[in-house]
Amino acid sequence: MRQFLVFVRKECYHIFRDKRTLLILFGMPVVLIVLFGFAITNEIHQAQIAVLDHSQDAFSHRLINRMTASGHFAVSHYLSSRDAVETAFREGDIKLVLVIPDRFGHDFHHARKAPLQLITDSSDPNTATTLTNYANAIIMQYQEEMGGKTDLPLTITTAVRMEYNPSLKGVFLFVPGVMTLILMLVSAMMTSITITREKELGTMEILLVSPLRPLLIIAGKVLPYIALSFIISLLILAMGYWVFGMPVKGSLVLLLLECLLFGLTALSLGILISTITNSQQTAMMISMMGLLLPTILLSGFVFPLESMPVPLRVLSNIFPAKWFIIILKNIMLKGGGLQQVWLPTLILSGMTVFFLGLSIRNFKTRLS
């Protein structure tokens, strides 16, 4: 045991002497969290819109002010005729045009019906849909404000309630995804490269003739990365909570244990990659292509799995990232416990045992 601890200490010294590795380990989580939290978001602010106001009364002005006060829209053009709509779309950065009919206020109060028109630039369908949803929500609030709680004829009243993320903050989506991505990269990629480096430099044979058994050598090399991945999990959780207000409604202990489990799954994948490669470059390529891209594309991090074709949805089940993101969302946003996340936990545990078993088998085969 003393020899094993000495070996682990030697590996820790090796990691902390390499400033580039340290920069990747601790710099990358901070940069990605800040980048995704502040710069890359699905929310739209200050989208430029145009207004074609045929009514020009106090009610229409109040509606326009209501839209600009939301922060989602900024009126950059006031149009004078319907013919100017297409020109405004072609010449400027207009994303939406609000068309207010004649006698808007009079019709709203007397005829109980005042149709508005929203014209969007659908060359970007996602942006157009988002802006339309924003505008509809503001108009519904305006209608309630002007007409009170009374039901209007020929008006459909829709009650919308957002559970778990009522303010629709995009960062609540990105923090679990970024945590998954970083843990996968740090644990799997760094482990595979570290072990492969020993083989590439020819020092693995020197280690194998040492008094330590081969499995203890591998365990000693990955143990520092288990600790590092856990520290990085704490760092991301702290940034998510203190910087972006990301809640942890469930058990923090359960959340940290799940982070540890996912770190072990990623480490076992890194060991498996190192057993089938002989160069750092190959290990990095396999890690990037086999782990990084599926983590981004097939985990539900960026694109919803429900919108994918059935073969891709089936394929996504073999990637640990999908199950870890389900666990994070359940514990952090929904306040779920082990009863809600037992299935993805069991799947991650099974994957860890499977990858470790396969790694040990490959390692013994290579030694023989």
Side-chain angles (χ1 to χ4, degrees):
M1 179 55 74
R2 182 174 177 278
Q3 292 173 330
F4 175 69
L5 294 177
V6 170
F7 182 73
V8 171
R9 188 173 63 184
K10 189 269 292 182
E11 288 300 319
C12 291
Y13 286 153
H14 180 72
I15 292 172
F16 287 110
R17 276 199 303 266
D18 189 348
K19 292 185 172 52
R20 289 177 298 181
T21 301
L22 282 180
L23 184 64
I24 293 173
L25 288 174
F26 292 101
M28 186 170 61
V30 175
V31 170
L32 286 180
I33 284 288
V34 172
L35 190 64
F36 276 93
F38 285 117
I40 302 175
T41 171
N42 290 328
E43 299 171 25
I44 300 175
H45 300 283
Q46 299 296 320
Q48 294 189 35
I49 67 172
V51 174
L52 177 56
D53 187 0
H54 292 293
S55 181
Q56 294 291 344
D57 56 21
F59 300 100
S60 65
H61 292 163
R62 192 167 179 176
L63 174 60
I64 296 167
N65 291 335
R66 188 65 183 266
M67 293 193 71
T68 54
S70 68
H72 295 301
F73 300 104
V75 179
S76 60
H77 290 70
Y78 285 94
L79 307 180
S80 57
S81 67
R82 174 75 68 167
D83 296 335
V85 172
E86 186 173 348
T87 306
F89 276 126
R90 289 181 180 277
E91 292 181 351
D93 296 323
I94 302 299
K95 301 297 182 185
L96 180 143
V97 174
L98 171 64
V99 181
I100 303 175
D102 286 332
R103 299 161 58 86
F104 171 68
H106 178 273
D107 291 346
F108 183 84
H109 285 287
H110 295 86
R112 295 301 202 187
K113 189 176 181 182
L116 295 170
Q117 186 177 21
L118 299 173
I119 306 173
T120 59
D121 177 5
S122 296
S123 58
D124 184 345
N126 291 333
T127 300
T129 303
T130 303
L131 292 179
T132 302
N133 291 335
Y134 286 158
N136 279 327
I138 295 169
I139 291 169
M140 288 295 293
Q141 291 175 355
Y142 175 80
Q143 175 180 285
E144 284 189 5
E145 180 184 311
M146 297 300 295
K149 297 296 182 182
T150 57
D151 295 330
L152 298 177
L154 303 178
T155 299
I156 298 174
T157 303
T158 305
V160 179
R161 180 176 175 179
M162 303 291 180
E163 292 283 358
Y164 310 124
N165 185 10
S167 54
L168 296 178
K169 290 185 177 179
V171 70
F172 286 11
L173 169 68
F174 286 121
V175 167
V178 171
M179 177 185 273
T180 305
L181 180 64
I182 292 171
L183 287 182
M184 179 61 77
L185 287 181
V186 170
S187 302
M189 187 183 294
M190 298 304 294
T191 302
S192 64
I193 291 174
T194 301
I195 299 177
T196 311
R197 183 194 299 136
E198 300 285 358
K199 291 195 288 186
E200 196 174 32
L201 297 176
T203 53
M204 181 59 84
E205 286 74 10
I206 299 173
L207 292 174
L208 291 175
V209 297
S210 67
L212 286 174
R213 288 184 298 172
L215 290 181
L216 285 180
I217 292 174
I218 300 299
K221 293 193 78 65
V222 303
L223 198 59
Y225 288 102
I226 294 177
L228 283 172
S229 64
F230 190 72
I231 293 172
I232 290 170
S233 301
L234 293 175
L235 175 66
I236 297 172
L237 286 175
M239 287 189 67
Y241 183 79
W242 295 109
V243 179
F244 300 108
M246 180 81 184
V248 180
K249 295 181 178 177
S251 167
L252 181 61
V253 175
L254 177 62
L255 179 63
L256 294 178
L257 288 176
E258 295 288 355
C259 291
L260 195 60
L261 172 62
F262 183 68
L264 286 173
T265 309
L267 283 167
S268 62
L269 265 173
I271 297 171
L272 180 61
I273 292 172
S274 70
T275 61
I276 59 176
T277 57
N278 289 315
S279 69
Q280 297 180 65
Q281 188 175 6
T282 307
M284 182 175 290
M285 287 298 295
I286 292 177
S287 300
M288 292 287 286
M289 299 300 293
L291 301 179
L292 178 61
L293 291 180
T295 299
I296 295 175
L297 301 177
L298 295 176
S299 66
F301 169 27
V302 178
F303 306 106
L305 294 174
E306 293 77 9
S307 63
M308 295 182 183
V310 174
L312 288 181
R313 271 186 280 167
V314 173
L315 183 64
S316 69
N317 292 322
I318 67 173
F319 296 107
K322 171 192 171 180
W323 304 107
F324 187 55
I325 287 179
I326 291 174
I327 291 173
L328 289 179
K329 288 181 177 176
N330 265 291
I331 296 177
M332 297 179 77
L333 294 178
K334 300 181 181 178
L338 188 58
Q339 190 176 3
Q340 284 75 37
V341 298
W342 69 269
L343 180 59
T345 302
L346 189 63
I347 291 173
L348 282 183
S349 302
M351 286 181 173
T352 305
V353 173
F354 175 74
F355 293 142
L356 281 177
L358 205 57
S359 303
I360 292 171
R361 181 185 170 189
N362 285 345
F363 196 66
K364 286 181 177 177
T365 302
R366 292 180 69 91
L367 285 179
S368 64

